[in-house]
Amino acid sequence: MNESSEDSVAGEKAALRHRLIAARAAMDATERATAAEDLAGWMSVDVPFRLEADVTVCCYASVGTEPGTAQMLDALVDRGVTVLLPITPDGPPTALEWARYTGRHGLRTGRFSLSEPTGRRLSNAALDTADVALIPALAVDRRGVRLGRGAGYYDRSLVATGAELVAVVYDDEVLDDIPADEYDIAVSWALTPGDGFTRLG
């Protein structure tokens, strides 16, 4: 991809991010609460992955207008799986670190005002133990192209994992096409409040 093409993709992504962030901000509290409850419900209905005591799931603690994951995290713990949440290291964007989720009481506010677990930090190599990774996104398309916030932490982290990658988005954020860069890591699934798990690609 040449420099002008990269600039074009970057511009398209920036415009799409702006639109999606504005749409999320326009949602009311009731819509968000219902979406969070519905996402948690999919942890026990038509799950396409095995979620048992020997399974490790990477997820994240939602903040702001992101699809709410608090109930979903608790539903995963109730199933007996090991849940890892990301920690954003200091310095320039790099691969994430991880720690085990032990409940909402075990979270603190970390870098970028993100909620992070307080337990022992693990390197990004912890992803090698993960069977499923439920990751944040602003949108995903039907090919599996994920649109994040733009810093590239997840693309750097997921490049070598064998986990099933699932983008967690609202129902109207599964799009037909998202501009992609060569370094974007594709996901295999979308998880939405209304439709649950949808295979992509």
Side-chain angles (χ1 to χ4, degrees):
M1 185 180 292
N2 60 42
E3 187 173 342
S4 61
S5 297
E6 289 178 354
D7 290 343
S8 176
V9 169
E12 291 176 47
K13 283 185 171 183
L16 184 55
R17 284 190 186 99
H18 180 77
R19 179 171 66 81
L20 292 163
I21 290 170
R24 284 187 174 185
M27 295 176 68
D28 64 34
T30 301
E31 287 179 282
R32 292 197 188 100
T34 299
E37 187 175 326
D38 290 344
L39 286 172
W42 289 112
M43 296 304 100
S44 57
V45 179
D46 294 331
V47 182
F49 320 110
R50 195 173 62 84
L51 295 179
E52 307 296 340
D54 61 334
V55 168
T56 296
V57 176
C58 290
C59 195
Y60 64 100
S62 59
V63 294
T65 60
E66 291 180 327
T69 62
Q71 293 159 279
M72 186 167 70
L73 290 170
D74 291 339
L76 286 167
V77 170
D78 287 346
R79 291 196 67 132
V81 304
T82 297
V83 178
L84 301 179
L85 301 187
I87 297 172
T88 306
D90 293 332
T94 185
L96 295 162
E97 296 176 345
W98 302 85
R100 186 166 183 169
Y101 174 70
T102 57
R104 300 180 201 186
H105 63 280
L107 296 175
R108 67 182 172 199
T109 301
R111 195 177 181 195
F112 306 127
S113 298
L114 299 175
S115 292
E116 299 178 342
T118 57
R120 182 171 65 92
R121 286 194 179 204
L122 306 171
S123 74
N124 192 60
L127 271 177
D128 293 341
T129 69
D131 302 276
V132 181
L134 300 162
I135 58 179
L138 287 170
V140 66
D141 75 14
R142 300 189 185 281
R143 299 171 297 161
V145 176
R146 169 187 166 271
L147 182 69
R149 295 275 180 171
Y153 284 99
Y154 276 92
D155 288 318
R156 290 176 174 88
S157 302
L158 300 170
V159 66
T161 183
E164 293 278 4
L165 303 182
V166 184
V168 183
V169 293
Y170 292 108
D171 296 314
D172 58 359
E173 294 171 347
V174 179
L175 309 178
D176 289 331
D177 184 68
I178 292 174
D181 288 297
E182 294 176 0
Y183 55 78
D184 287 331
I185 301 299
V187 301
S188 299
W189 300 85
L191 172 61
T192 64
D195 295 325
F197 291 93
T198 300
R199 194 77 156 101
L200 305 172

